[in-house]
Amino acid sequence: FAVEETVDTDLCAGNTYTTNTLVDANPPNGDSCQATDEYTVEPEAPCDVTVEVTCVDSEGTDCDAIEAPEDCVQDLTYTYCIDNPGPTCMEVTDFVRTITPPGGEVSILGLLTAEIGNPPIICPPGPICVSEEVSTNLCTNEKISVTTKITAAPPNGDMCMDTGMYMFTVPTPAPTPPPTPGPTP
């Protein structure tokens, strides 16, 4: 003898589901009896997070289109757009960026918590974008790159991570030729 029940649940919500069963039986030719059972399901929530990086100068020009500047050090705005394609809300546990040159990893988790609160929970649909202004030397004649790494964790699931990169080179101005001497008398 079996009894079935169907319950619709969101397995991606990161919840634990427990079913308890109690059966009382009174057979006609025997002692009454009782049985209990419990079944618990802890589904693992999927994890997927992406980050994209963009860069513009103070006039809104994409950094990869900047011409050789008169002043080498310019304030550039780096924007980081984070997307959680779903279906589960996740907590961002780490968010860092490195601008090369000069290099050195810097936490930008504070940008995210200032935008969405602490703890930084990202829910679908996204994206959530945060920006920072960084003084950057554009006269190094090197490729300038900003790389990011973000780590997030859904409830009852494994962490996931993504990286993003934006790279550009600013052309150096052509050297100014020395003045041409005039005719000699």
Side-chain angles (χ1 to χ4, degrees):
F1 175 60
V3 175
E4 290 185 22
E5 178 182 30
T6 301
V7 178
D8 290 329
T9 58
D10 181 0
L11 295 178
C12 296
N15 296 321
T16 299
Y17 302 95
T18 302
T19 300
N20 292 301
T21 306
L22 169 65
V23 176
D24 283 322
N26 291 312
N29 296 330
D31 294 334
S32 63
C33 59
Q34 192 177 66
T36 62
D37 197 7
E38 179 176 287
Y39 184 74
T40 300
V41 176
E42 291 185 53
E44 187 172 300
C47 187
D48 189 8
V49 64
T50 61
V51 61
E52 291 189 18
V53 183
T54 59
C55 175
V56 295
D57 68 7
S58 60
E59 295 176 13
T61 303
D62 284 347
C63 291
D64 57 1
I66 295 174
E67 298 295 323
E70 290 181 24
D71 295 322
C72 288
V73 178
Q74 299 284 322
D75 289 334
L76 301 180
T77 300
Y78 297 100
T79 300
Y80 315 101
C81 291
I82 303 148
D83 193 17
N84 171 2
T88 307
C89 292
M90 297 182 289
E91 180 177 350
V92 175
T93 58
D94 193 32
F95 191 25
V96 295
R97 65 102 170 119
T98 302
I99 297 175
T100 307
E105 191 174 86
V106 173
S107 175
I108 53 175
L109 189 57
L111 291 174
L112 193 57
T113 57
E115 181 71 21
I116 63 173
N118 194 8
I121 305 293
I122 55 173
C123 294
I128 295 168
C129 297
V130 293
S131 298
E132 69 173 334
E133 192 173 275
V134 179
S135 293
T136 307
N137 185 349
L138 301 179
C139 296
T140 62
N141 204 26
E142 296 179 67
K143 286 185 179 178
I144 298 171
S145 69
V146 58
T147 57
T148 59
K149 181 176 80 172
I150 189 165
T151 306
N156 296 336
D158 291 333
M159 289 187 169
C160 55
M161 189 247 336
D162 190 40
T163 58
M165 176 185 266
Y166 186 95
M167 187 179 302
F168 63 99
T169 303
V170 176
T172 55
T176 306
T180 310
T184 13

